[in-house]
């Protein structure tokens, strides 16, 4: 293949390594998996051989054809001179001939006159004979007409026989059970060929096959059949077949060609016999007439003999005259012909003068191509084999920076055409034009994709989420294409038929794994070289068969074995490609004249290219095929001229079109900003599924929003203003459409991403500043010099100050601490003027500073930023009007409700239906709650509704995972040709994790998604709870006062427990799906118990509400305590006297009417605050901080990958990962030597055992860190293939998060990677100190343990051993000291000092030695050193204590460690409601 084996080997290595390297980069940047396998290179070799042979053949043919054309043109010029000399001689000869002829004319005239007189007498006699002759001829004509008819019939019979041959007769004979019509034909043949008219009794198919016998003999007997003598019995027996409508050759031809021929023969033979019988008497009459004619001719002969002598003399003279005249004419014609040839030659030379030059140049170019053909084809083969799944940027990089330089840099370079375009070898402009006309997008990448698809030796697999590729394929192959989806009815039969008949088969919508049943087809595994297994049967494999696979998955991960069998082709729409499509759409709306002209122009230009190529080929073909004396072929020369003239006209039109196209493009470009914005928005939309996989939006649905936005944009005569209006309206309509399907917590993420990306396109954002805002790096170990900033915030200030624009920030804050403190402590600093010169900074720079100072206000700050950059309408709360959304729906566009706990959108749908006369009662709404075998009911409902125009509501489709594929197909099926009023409403809960997402993309893509979320805030929740009841509810109980008071308290309780969820784990350890049903059932229980008991059973009610109705959801004991505490505070006898406060400043209302309760809420409920739920205001800050961190983290992960690569730092993503990797490996200590430690620890005290266990677990963790990082390092160097685990590790390093593979062996932590690693090194240092002599440290860092419980247990074990107390009767006494860690120098005599704990929800007041109200903005104040001692349970002081749970992290729940009893001067219930807990990590 190459110039030498070593070059071939090095080329293979280079291709493989470069492709793997690029695949690695592609995975790192684009998150797409592309594998290079040995089979890929084998395909390259096969493609190279085939393509080289084909191109060589084409090249030789083209050169030969062009050279023939040039030879013909050269020979034409040399022939013209010879022709002129010949013409001069012909003119002299012509003059002599004219003179000789004139003399002869005079002599012939005299002699002719003599003969004429004698002949007149003979003519008179001849007239008499002529009359007789005419009579005879008349009779002959009459007979001849009938004979002609007979001849036609006989000829038809012979032609029918000609259609028969040995092969189709053999085929006919091979029929085991032929159609009845074929059997009838064979029976008719048996009847007609019956010997002596004896009709055979057995006319069955078996008898027919015997009659056929040997095909040649049978055919000969039919050809020799005596059609003039058919016995009467045969004719009579044949008559029923003749009158049978099915006894028709054209009809029978569809069954068998041979049977059709025999049928035609039978019919025509019988018809011939009938005509023959009619003609026979007429033949006798003709014979008699012929006798009479013979007699008349004899008489005429005698008469003519009289004038023979006269005519002989005349004939001699006439012959001499005619010869002379003929010679004269011939001479004249030769002279004329020579003149004509000369004229034709001149026309040909003049007409093809430009081709003469161009063809000569083409020959030279083709000769040059011959020299570089091997290299060119080699490069193009690599292009087809390796490059299909890459995007434009990576394709260009592989070609220009890897393959071409390598081939040029070989010791013996392989010649390659400079600037080679692979498409020039794979296709031509005519093919590309045809593809564009068939619907292929005209961008370069799409053209490359089409060329790869048409050239690859493996099965192409299209990654085509937007269906642009499949649309083109369907148009390209048309009716010749078989289309199937896996799982559809009889799909294996369709595949088998396509394979055996050599059809092109498109398998649509395959998933990430291909069904095993298709493995033989993918691998082309044939048995006996001919048969292939499809399902449970083998079918003959037709070499013409072509398979095309297609997936709608946006980012599928196909395993290497699949990619070895298929050529992945990335048909995903590119931003540039989509921009061009949207530009066409907007111009079509705004300037339909321009777009129509553009479309027509593009189409006609494509047709011109095709026609020009056809004409060029036709011109050369005619010239090359012309014979040696082609100059005398007038038709040829005239056709050449017509072809040339047409080509010239088309070239002129092409040139005109190019000028027009430039003018159109200039006008169209005015609208590009709108298309650019829309394209950007679509790609932002496409990324939303990374937040939640239920956020899926199809290009088709997006185009619909885009079209409506154009219609709604404010008109303007000024094009520039109109484009601004369009851009704004497109942005807003896309936001509205998208936001209605996003959860509230994700809407701001979407808005922030849109704002940042729009500004980035406009170059109004500094990438480094944006990178800081999103990543929020912080200098580890920094200590804040000011009291109003946490250490982490100060570390971020120091990191930000390293950027030029923020150089003075650190010193400004320290130097003007009071001004900055006043600013930081403002309620909403984002709305205030920044101190000093910082007020003049850009909005993004202010965001960077504010994130360091007040991370809890960043959601508000981002909202203000969006409002400033994009407009206030984007940040105003919008309620979803279902009736407006309904107008956008259709039978093909369902409504999809994304559910939240406690929300049921069914009521809204039913209310809308009532207004539109669609109700369950009138049968026009079919409501199906899925689960428990309801799938069949749902299918029937959809079928009826689609036919009759009803509504179908499918609730909770996420509960029927196995049926969702069927549902997707049903939705698609009913989207076409259904009743126009048919609508489908679906609802589903989003999956808790992306891995557990099961809703098919097809259901989500084209649906209008609507999120249903509970109301936010106490006021809305409390009103919502009351709305579940009415005045009748209040009046239904005999104990009205008690009932109303407790019902209102329950409503408040319900609102509190539901809204408390938004405070995260400080609200509830785990999220619970409290819903309206819990409240309504509780109120029913309340009514029943009040009616059944003379007194209010307070304890029973609290138990029922807290442990069963609401407690039934609760799985965490601490959450159960919280629920009980709420009820003990809200539901108590004092409430009947109005002495119970539900929240600070909000007393239980007196006995009121229903509407008065609503008014009481509006008049008396304080403003929204955590106090309403018993929480400290810091809980809001903590919640807001976590929310803002999630926002920035998500937006960071949504950034375009090219932006990631830059990262605002000028280094590539890979370099950043490598830098972090090297830093971690460089600081990672050696593992603990467990053998030495075991030997050193002679006495295995409980504390020693804990230390050894911790060291062992630390070794496991550090081993995994070291192993995984070294493996990734090898992967980054290209020595190992990047695996998904390595990719996840690299992502974690890049995003500064702790890799999941490490957390499996580590301890719970919410820190960023940098902080986590610094914390890890501290833990190792603590263990190193402790394991030196295994003496208990003066104070133990409790948070530094993998398993803190083991150390707390060890405290009890040590005391139990020392004092001989039973371990199961012991507990820990918690004494909070007034000291900090540095104050402790010796361990206590008993128990242990511990430090490193933080309190959330309150603080420890050192002077009073008890829990106290938290200070504002101190979210997790540090605890003093705590003395832990083991004591018997019965000595535990339980008065004035709060049982405080200890957790490892803010995640609480599963990170529970212990319960510490802490002193309190206030009711413990206050701290329960405040969610007070101790944390081992701040």
């Amino acid at each position: 293949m190459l110039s030498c084996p070593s070059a071939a080997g090095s080329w293979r290595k280079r291709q493989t390594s470069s492709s793997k390297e690029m695949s690695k980069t592609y995975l790192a940047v684009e998150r797409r998996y592309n594998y290079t396998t040995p089979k890929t290179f084998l395909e390259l070799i096969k493609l190279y051989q085939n393509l080289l042979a084909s191109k060589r053949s084409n090249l030789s043919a083209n050169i030969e054809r062009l050279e023939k054309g040039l030879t013909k043109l050269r020979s034409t010029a040399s022939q013209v001179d010879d022709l002129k000399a010949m013409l001069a001689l012909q003119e002299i000869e012509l003059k002599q001939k004219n003179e000789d002829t004139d003399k002869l004319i005079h002599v012939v005239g005299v002699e002719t006159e003599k003969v004429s007189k004698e002949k007149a007498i003979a003519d008179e006699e001849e007239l008499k004979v002529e009359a007789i002759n005419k009579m005879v001829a008349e009779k002959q004509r009459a007979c001849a007409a009938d004979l002609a008819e007979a001849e036609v019939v006989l000829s038809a019979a012979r032609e029918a026989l000609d259609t028969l041959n040995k092969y189709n007769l053999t085929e006919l004979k091979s029929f085991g059970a032929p159609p009845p019509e074929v059997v009838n034909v064979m029976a008719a043949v048996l009847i007609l060929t019956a010997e002596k008219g004896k009709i055979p009794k057995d006319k069955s198919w078996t008898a027919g096959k015997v009659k056929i016998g040997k095909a040649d003999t049978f055919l000969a007997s039919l050809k020799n059949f005596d059609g003039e003598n058919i016995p009467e019995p045969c004719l009579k027996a044949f008559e029923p077949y003749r009158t049978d409508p099915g006894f028709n050759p054209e009809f029978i031809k569809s069954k068998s060609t041979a049977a059709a021929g025999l049928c035609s023969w039978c019919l025509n033979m019988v018809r011939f016999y009938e005509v023959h019988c009619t003609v026979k008497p007429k033949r006798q009459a003709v014979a008699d007439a012929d006798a009479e004619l013979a007699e008349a001719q004899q008489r005429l002969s005698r008469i003519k003999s009289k004038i023979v002598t006269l005519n002989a003399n005349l004939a001699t003279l006439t012959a001499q005259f005619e010869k002379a005249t003929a010679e004269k004419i011939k001479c004249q014609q030769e002279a004329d012909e020579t003149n004509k040839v000369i004229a034709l030659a001149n026309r040909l030379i003049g007409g093809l003068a430009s081709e003469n030059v161009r063809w000569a140049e083409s020959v030279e170019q083709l000769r040059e191509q011959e020299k570089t053909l091997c290299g060119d084809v080699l490069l193009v083969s690599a292009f087809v084999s390796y490059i299909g799944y890459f995007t434009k940027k990576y394709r260009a990089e592989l070609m220009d920076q890897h393959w071409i330089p390598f081939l040029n840099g070989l010791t013996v370079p392989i010649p390659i055409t400079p600037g080679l375009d692979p498409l020039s070898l794979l296709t031509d402009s005519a093919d590309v034009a045809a593809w564009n006309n068939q619907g292929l997008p005209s961008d370069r990448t799409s053209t490359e994709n089409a060329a790869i698809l048409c050239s690859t030796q493996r099965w192409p697999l299209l990654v085509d989420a937007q269906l642009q590729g499949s649309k083109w394929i369907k148009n390209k192959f048309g009716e010749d294409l078989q289309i199937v989806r896996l799982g559809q009815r009889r799909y294996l039969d369709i595949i088998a038929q396509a394979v055996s008949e050599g059809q092109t088969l498109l398998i649509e919508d395959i998933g990430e794994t291909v069904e095993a049943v298709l493995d033989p087809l993918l691998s082309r595994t044939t048995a006996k070289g001919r048969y292939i297994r499809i399902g449970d049967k083998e079918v003959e494999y037709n070499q013409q068969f072509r398979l095309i696979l297609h997936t709608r998955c946006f980012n599928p991960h196909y395993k290497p074995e699949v990619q070895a069998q298929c050529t992945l082709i990335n048909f995903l729409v590119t931003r540039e490609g989509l921009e061009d499509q949207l530009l066409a759409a907007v111009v079509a709306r705004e300037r339909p004249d321009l777009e129509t002209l553009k479309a027509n122009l593009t189409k006609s230009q494509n047709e011109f290219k095709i026609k020009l190529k056809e004409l060029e080929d036709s011109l050369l073909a005619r010239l090359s095929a012309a014979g040696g004396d082609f100059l005398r072929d007038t038709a040829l020369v005239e056709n050449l001229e017509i072809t040339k003239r047409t080509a010239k006209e088309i070239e002129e039109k092409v040139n005109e079109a190019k000028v027009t196209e430039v003018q159109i493009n200039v006008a169209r470009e005015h609208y590009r900003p709108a298309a650019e914005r829309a394209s950007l928005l679509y790609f932002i939309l496409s990324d939303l599924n990374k937040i939640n996989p239920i956020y899926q939006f199809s290009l088709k649905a997006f185009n619909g929003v885009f079209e409506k936005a154009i219609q709604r944009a404010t008109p303007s005569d000024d094009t520039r203003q109109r484009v601004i209006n369009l851009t704004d309206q497109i942005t807003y309509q896309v936001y509205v459409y998208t936001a209605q399907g996003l959860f509230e917590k994700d809407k701001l993420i979407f808005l922030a991403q849109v704002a940042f990306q729009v500004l980035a396109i406009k170059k109004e954002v500094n990438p480094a500043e944006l990178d800081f805002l999103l990543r929020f790096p912080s200098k580890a170990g920094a200590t804040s010099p000011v009291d109003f900033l946490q250490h982490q915030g100060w570390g971020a200030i120091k990191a930000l100050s390293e950027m030029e624009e923020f150089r003075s920030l650190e010193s400004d804050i320290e130097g003007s601490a009071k001004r900055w403190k006043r600013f930081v402590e403002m309620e909403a600093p984002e709305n205030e003027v920044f101190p000093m010169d910082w007020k003049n900074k850009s909005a993004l720079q202010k965001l960077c500073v504010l994130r360091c100072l007040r991370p809890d206000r960043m959601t508000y700050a981002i909202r203000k930023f969006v409002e400033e950059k994009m407009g206030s309408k984007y940040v105003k709360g919008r309620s979803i009007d279902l009736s407006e959304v309904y107008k956008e729906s259709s039978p093909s566009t369902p409504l999809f409700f994304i559910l939240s706990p406690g929300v049921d959108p069914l009521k809204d749908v039913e209310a809308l239906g009532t207004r539109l006369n669609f109700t369950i009662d009138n049968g026009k709404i079919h409501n199906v709650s899925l689960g428990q075998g309801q799938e069949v009911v749902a299918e029937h409902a959809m079928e009826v509704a689609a036919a009759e125009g009803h509504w179908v509501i499918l609730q909770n489709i996420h509960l029927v995972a196995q049926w969702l594929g069927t549902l997707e197909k049903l939705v698609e099926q009913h989207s076409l040709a259904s009743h126009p009023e048919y609508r489908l409403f679906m609802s589903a809960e989003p999956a808790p994790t992306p891995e557990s997402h099961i809703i098919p993309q097809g259901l989500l893509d084209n649906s209008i998604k609507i999120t249903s979320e509970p109301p936010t805030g106490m006021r809305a929740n409390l009103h919502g709870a009351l709305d579940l009841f009415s005045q009748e509810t209040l009046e239904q109980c005999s104990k009205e006062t008690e009932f109303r008071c407790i019902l209102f308290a329950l409503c408040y309780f319900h609102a509190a427990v539901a809204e408390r969820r938004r405070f995260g784990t400080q609200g509830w350890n785990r999220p619970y799906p409290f819903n309206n049903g819990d409240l309504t059932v509780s109120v029913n229980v309340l009514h029943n118990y009040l009616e059944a008991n003379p007194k209010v059973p307070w304890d029973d009610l609290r138990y029922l509400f807290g442990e069963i109705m609401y407690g039934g959801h609760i799985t965490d004991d601490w959450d159960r305590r919280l629920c009980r505490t709420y009820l003990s505070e809200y539901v108590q006898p004092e409430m009947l006297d109005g002495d119970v406060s539900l929240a600070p400043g909000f007393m239980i209302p007196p006995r009121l009417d229903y509407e008065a309760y609503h008014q009481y809420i509006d008049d008396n409920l304080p403003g929204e605050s955590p106090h309403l739920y018993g929480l400290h205001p810091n809980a809001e800050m903590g919640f807001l901080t976590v929310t803002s961190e999630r926002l920035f983290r998500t937006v960071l992960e949504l950034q375009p990958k090219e932006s990631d690569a830059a990262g605002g730092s000028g280094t590539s993503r890979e370099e950043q990962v490598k830098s972090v990797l090297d830093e971690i490996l460089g600081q990672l200590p050696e593992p603990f030597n467990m053998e030495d430690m075991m030997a050193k620890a002679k006495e295995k005290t409980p504390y020693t055992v804990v230390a050894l266990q911790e060291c062992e677990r630390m070794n496991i963790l550090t081993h995994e860190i070291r192993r995984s990082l070294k493996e990734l390092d090898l992967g980054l160097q290209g020595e190992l293939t990047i695996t998904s685990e390595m990719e996840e590790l690299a992502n974690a390093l890049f995003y500064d998060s702790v890799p999941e593979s490490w957390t499996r062996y580590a301890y719970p932590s919410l820190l960023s990677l940098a902080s986590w690693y610094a914390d890890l090194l501290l833990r190792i240092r603590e263990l190193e100190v402790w394991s030196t002599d295994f003496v208990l440290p003066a104070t133990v860092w409790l948070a530094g343990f993998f398993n803190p419980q083991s150390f707390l247990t060890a405290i009890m074990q040590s005391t139990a051993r020392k004092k001989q107390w039973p371990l199961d009767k012991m507990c820990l006494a918690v004494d909070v000291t007034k000291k900090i860690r540095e104050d402790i120098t010796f361990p206590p005599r008993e128990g242990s000092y511990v430090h490193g704990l933080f309190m959330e929800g309150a603080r420890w007041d050192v002077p009073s030695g008890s829990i106290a109200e938290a200070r504002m903005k101190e979210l997790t104040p540090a605890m003093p050193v705590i003395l832990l001692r083991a004591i018997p349970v019965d000595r535990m002081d339980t008065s004035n204590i709060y049982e405080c749970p200890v957790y490892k992290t803010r995640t609480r729940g599963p990170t529970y460690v212990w319960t510490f009893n802490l002193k309190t001067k206030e009711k413990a219930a206050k701290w329960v409601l405040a969610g007070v807990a101790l944390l081992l990590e701040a």
Side-chain angles (χ1 to χ4, degrees), residues 34 60 76 106 175 196 327 513 735 750 1232 1240 1391 1396:
N34 182 67
S60 300
T76 301
H106 176 69
F175 284 0
K196 299 180 181 179
E327 287 177 353
T513 55
Y735 163 68
F750 172 60
F1232 292 103
K1240 196 189 307 179

Side-chain angles (χ1 to χ4, degrees), residues 485 487-488 509 890-894 928 930 934-947 952 954 957 960 962-978 982-984 986 1000 1002-1003:
R485 288 189 183 185
Q488 78 176 51
D509 293 354
S890 69
S892 61
T893 309
V928 184
L930 288 164
Q934 292 296 299
E935 297 91 327
V936 178
V937 178
E939 289 177 19
H940 177 69
M942 291 175 72
E943 190 173 340
V944 172
V952 177
L954 301 180
I957 65 170
V960 284
Q962 298 297 322
W963 183 68
L964 290 177
T966 305
L967 175 60
E968 182 181 14
K969 292 183 177 68
L970 287 173
V971 170
E972 184 176 352
Q973 177 185 326
H974 293 313
S975 68
L976 304 171
S978 293
Y982 164 66
R983 292 292 185 278
L984 176 63
M986 296 176 282
L1003 288 180

Side-chain angles (χ1 to χ4, degrees), residues 745-746 748-749 752 772-778 790 792-793 796 851-852 854-860 862 1180-1198 1295-1297 1309-1312 1315 1400 1419-1420 1450-1451 1481-1482:
K745 61 189 175 67
D746 296 327
L748 190 58
I749 294 173
F772 176 88
L773 177 67
L774 300 182
R775 289 181 185 278
F776 195 53
S778 177
Q790 299 290 327
Q792 185 188 7
R851 186 167 187 196
C852 300
R854 286 290 299 275
D856 60 300
R857 298 301 300 174
M858 290 313 295
T859 51
Y860 299 98
I862 287 291
E1180 181 84 12
M1181 290 184 65
F1183 158 69
L1184 289 173
T1185 302
V1186 170
T1187 303
S1188 71
E1189 285 173 356
R1190 176 182 177 271
L1191 183 152
F1192 290 121
R1193 176 57 183 258
T1194 307
V1195 173
L1196 173 64
E1197 292 176 357
L1198 290 178
Y1295 288 122
D1296 194 29
S1297 58
S1309 175
L1310 300 178
L1311 297 174
S1312 65
S1315 302
E1400 184 176 38
L1419 304 186
T1420 52
R1450 291 195 309 273
T1451 310
E1481 179 182 282

Side-chain angles (χ1 to χ4, degrees), residues 1422-1433:
M1423 290 287 290
V1425 171
I1426 298 173
L1427 172 62
L1428 298 177
R1429 293 178 298 109
I1431 60 171
V1433 174

Side-chain angles (χ1 to χ4, degrees), residues 529-602:
R530 293 178 55 196
Y531 296 94
I532 194 164
R533 178 167 288 280
I534 305 293
D536 56 358
K537 61 183 178 182
E538 288 188 346
V539 297
E540 188 171 356
Y541 183 80
N542 190 313
Q543 294 299 327
Q544 299 300 313
F545 170 71
R546 181 163 173 74
L547 173 66
I548 303 173
L549 299 166
H550 167 271
T551 180
R552 290 173 65 173
C553 298
F554 182 77
N555 187 8
H557 179 187
Y558 289 105
K559 300 299 181 189
E561 52 269 25
V562 175
Q563 296 199 25
Q565 295 164 338
C566 303
T567 297
L568 263 65
I569 304 178
N570 189 341
F571 255 103
L572 295 171
V573 66
T574 61
R575 186 180 289 184
E576 297 79 9
L578 180 59
E579 188 179 308
D580 287 340
Q581 292 175 38
L582 295 175
L583 177 62
V586 72
V587 176
R589 281 280 181 186
E590 295 297 298
R591 291 285 307 274
D593 56 324
L594 271 185
E595 200 52 32
T596 303
L597 187 59
K598 168 78 174 174
N600 292 338
L601 200 61
T602 302

Side-chain angles (χ1 to χ4, degrees), residues 447-509:
T447 305
E448 289 179 355
N449 289 341
I452 292 170
L453 184 143
C454 294
S455 306
T456 180
Q457 303 287 308
R458 293 177 291 174
W459 303 133
L461 196 169
L462 277 63
V463 179
D464 183 29
Q466 293 89 15
L467 307 181
Q468 297 196 117
S470 66
K471 176 185 172 185
W472 165 67
I473 286 170
K474 289 172 185 176
N475 290 335
K476 174 179 170 57
F477 291 99
E479 295 181 359
D480 297 332
L481 182 69
Q482 286 290 330
I483 303 172
V484 72
R485 288 189 183 185
L486 299 182
Q488 78 176 51
R489 205 164 149 232
R490 295 184 61 251
Y491 77 98
L492 286 176
D493 293 338
I494 297 171
I495 293 173
Q497 181 185 354
V499 171
S500 61
E501 295 182 6
Q503 298 172 322
T504 300
L505 174 69
L506 172 64
I507 302 182
E508 288 190 306
D509 293 354

Side-chain angles (χ1 to χ4, degrees), residues 67 75 104 140 277 578 593 631 662 704 869 971 1099 1219 1224:
E67 286 185 334
S75 68
L104 193 56
Q140 285 177 330
C277 292
L578 180 59
D593 56 324
L631 286 180
V662 170
K869 297 297 181 182
V971 170
D1099 291 337
S1219 172
I1224 293 175

